[in-house]
Amino acid sequence: MKNLFYLSALSTVILVASCTKGNLIAPGKSINSVNTISARTACDSVKMVSFTLTGDASYEIAFSGKQNYTFSFPGTVSVKPGTYSVFVYSPGNYSQHNFYWGDQQVINQSGARWDGVTITPCTVPQSVRIGQ
């Protein structure tokens, strides 16, 4: 009986030693019912996504989606990952500015709008800039 216990323990050690970061043995499971658990990545959908806002302090940015956020320029802000309509505006200011968001086409208006913007921790660049 002692040898059987030794073989079982040795088998467990070999199995555990061969696991990688993405393959774990779930607690309370036997060797015959190993679960594979995916390792989280840098693009994890639960992390807040930070944006740097630069430009005219009279402007605000609004993210409209499952969650809604409104922030003032300039500064660094954070939003939950998701799909948003994004508006940059200044109440009562109708002068034209250039609005930049990564590789999106520059918008030259008094405000800017981007629809269907998917934001994840892997979205780059994470900045919105207002220029003259």
Side-chain angles (χ1 to χ4, degrees):
M1 196 65 162
K2 189 173 188 179
N3 288 340
L4 286 176
F5 177 75
Y6 179 75
L7 287 175
S8 177
L10 179 60
S11 298
T12 302
V13 170
I14 291 170
L15 181 60
V16 171
S18 68
C19 288
T20 63
K21 185 176 181 180
N23 298 316
L24 304 174
I25 298 175
K29 298 290 183 177
S30 70
I31 304 171
N32 298 326
S33 59
V34 174
N35 289 343
T36 301
I37 303 169
S38 298
R40 291 192 171 205
T41 67
C43 297
D44 193 339
S45 63
V46 297
K47 292 182 181 179
M48 296 294 281
V49 180
S50 295
F51 285 87
T52 302
L53 308 176
T54 56
D56 190 329
S58 70
Y59 277 80
E60 295 184 357
I61 187 169
F63 294 82
S64 178
K66 272 188 162 181
Q67 301 242 313
N68 297 313
Y69 302 93
T70 302
F71 304 103
S72 297
F73 278 79
T76 300
V77 300
S78 295
V79 299
K80 281 192 160 199
T83 301
Y84 296 91
S85 289
V86 181
F87 309 93
V88 178
Y89 62 94
S90 179
N93 181 351
Y94 301 107
S95 59
Q96 289 194 346
H97 289 79
N98 289 324
F99 296 89
Y100 304 89
W101 184 328
D103 61 356
Q104 300 285 330
Q105 183 175 351
V106 175
I107 297 175
N108 184 292
Q109 297 288 328
S110 60
R113 176 182 175 148
W114 296 276
D115 290 318
V117 176
T118 301
I119 296 174
T120 71
C122 292
T123 306
V124 251
Q126 292 155 340
S127 65
V128 179
R129 183 171 60 92
I130 303 171
Q132 295 298 329

